[in-house]
């Protein structure tokens, strides 16, 4: 009898393992960024039929010299690869991404990942403080999975840990302003035998020293950001459920396989009516 593994847990893996791990910052250079860019892009192209995205104007129409944080749900292994390609190929920034158990994949540091150990609040604080440091460098784009653990696709309600609010509060104190952009990521089959990556960027949230958002408590700010991400994800899912993907830009799209080309050709042929029918 096959026993299914437990796919989701409310306890982060570093807490389960209860092992102290030294904090490791990102360690990038031009060569490794080029390697990562080629490798991660090819991974998506080999697995997915297309990568569609929309809402990038919510970043470009604002002040791009302001520290920016992308925050997204986390449902599977591909999310980090999608974020890497998003930052490098759409926004032309270096990614800074918090990765739990980075010791298992140390080369990810070369692409912009840094570690977080959730064994204790004191251990996790090193990653949060580092996040505030790196978001101030506008060559970077900080990407956060604020739920803190992997959840099933379309999990509701979306609930955050307070790390994102902590980073935003302290970034505003240090830099005066920070932009936060909710990002919906989904994976869907449409008319091809391979799935597609669907990305939508929600409305830009501008947090400025002294404005209404800056006056919220950390708990209130967390709930505000939860609602913003849930709204973005729900809007995306509604349009996808209606097959409405014409408004999306395309980062890449594969050529149809030979048998799909034959199928398309056959559909375009007007067959003569059969006698007696």
């Amino acid at each position: 009898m096959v026993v299914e593994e437990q796919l989701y847990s409310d306890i982060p893996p570093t807490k389960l393992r209860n092992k102290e791990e030294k904090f490791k910052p990102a360690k990038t250079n031009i060569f490794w960024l080029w390697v990562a860019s080629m490798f991660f892009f090819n991974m998506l192209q080999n697995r997915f039929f297309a990568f569609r995205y929309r809402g990038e104007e919510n970043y470009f129409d604002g002040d791009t010299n302001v520290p920016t944080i992308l925050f997204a749900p986390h449902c599977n292994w591909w999310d980090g690869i999608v974020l890497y390609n998003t930052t490098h190929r759409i926004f032309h920034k270096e990614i800074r991404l918090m990765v739990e158990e980075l010791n298992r994949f140390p080369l990810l540091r070369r692409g912009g990942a840094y570690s977080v150990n959730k064994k204790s609040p004191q251990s996790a604080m090193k990653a949060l403080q580092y996040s505030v440091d790196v978001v101030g460098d506008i060559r970077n784009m900080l990407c956060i999975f604020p739920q803190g653990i992997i959840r099933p696709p379309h999990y509701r309600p979306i609930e955050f840990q307070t790390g994102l609010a902590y980073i935003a509060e302290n970034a505003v104190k240090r830099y005066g302003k920070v932009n936060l952009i909710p990002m919906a990521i989904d994976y869907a089959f449409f008319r091809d035998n391979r799935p597609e990556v669907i990305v939508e960027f929600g409305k830009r949230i501008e947090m400025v020293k002294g404005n209404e958002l800056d006056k919220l408590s950390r708990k209130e700010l967390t709930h505000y950001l939860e609602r913003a991400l849930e709204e973005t994800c729900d809007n995306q899912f509604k349009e996808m459920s209606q097959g409405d993907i014409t408004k999306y830009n395309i980062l890449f799209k594969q050529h149809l396989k030979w048998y799909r080309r034959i199928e398309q050709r056959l559909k375009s042929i007007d067959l003569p009516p059969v006698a007696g029918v």
Side-chain angles (χ1 to χ4, degrees), residues 17 38 69 77 95 98 144 147 159 162 185 224 254:
R17 295 199 304 122
M38 295 298 103
I69 303 173
W77 184 86
I95 193 173
M98 192 185 299
I144 298 290
Q147 290 164 296
E159 296 176 325
T162 58
I185 307 174
Y224 180 89
Q254 307 289 358

Side-chain angles (χ1 to χ4, degrees), residues 95-114:
I95 193 173
R96 290 296 180 265
L97 178 65
M98 192 185 299
V99 175
E100 197 169 358
E101 293 194 298
L102 187 62
N103 62 303
R104 295 173 56 194
F105 311 100
L107 275 178
L108 293 181
R109 293 178 64 196
R110 298 290 188 174
Y114 59 97

Side-chain angles (χ1 to χ4, degrees), residues 129-189:
Q129 291 170 343
Y130 179 78
S131 301
V132 177
D133 294 338
V134 298
V135 75
D137 186 343
I138 59 171
R139 295 173 298 179
N140 303 328
M141 183 169 280
L142 182 63
C143 299
I144 298 290
F145 297 124
Q147 290 164 296
I149 51 177
I150 295 179
R151 290 294 193 187
H154 312 129
Y155 183 88
R156 294 295 183 273
I158 291 179
E159 296 176 325
F160 293 173
Q161 296 180 4
T162 58
L164 175 59
Y166 172 91
I167 296 168
E169 287 174 351
N170 285 274
V172 168
K173 289 177 184 177
R174 186 178 302 183
Y175 309 113
K177 183 177 180 180
V178 65
N179 290 332
L180 299 107
I181 300 179
M183 175 180 170
I185 307 174
D186 213 334
Y187 309 87
F189 286 91

Side-chain angles (χ1 to χ4, degrees), residues 13 19 66 117 122 129 133 160 232 234 236 243 253 264 276:
K19 182 180 178 181
V66 171
N117 187 346
Q122 292 77 16
Q129 291 170 343
D133 294 338
F160 293 173
T232 303
D234 288 348
Q236 180 197 55
K253 185 177 180 181
Q264 295 294 322

Side-chain angles (χ1 to χ4, degrees), residues 222-236:
T222 296
H223 290 327
Y224 180 89
L225 297 174
E226 287 171 346
R227 291 193 297 271
L229 181 58
E230 191 167 299
E231 180 181 342
T232 303
C233 293
D234 288 348
N235 177 67
Q236 180 197 55

Side-chain angles (χ1 to χ4, degrees), residues 160-162 164-166 169 205 207 211-228:
F160 293 173
Q161 296 180 4
T162 58
L164 175 59
Y166 172 91
E169 287 174 351
I205 301 167
M207 191 169 171
N211 75 354
E212 293 301 316
L213 288 179
D214 189 37
K215 295 175 183 177
L216 296 178
S217 68
R218 189 170 300 168
K219 184 176 181 180
E220 290 171 333
L221 179 59
T222 296
H223 290 327
Y224 180 89
L225 297 174
E226 287 171 346
R227 291 193 297 271

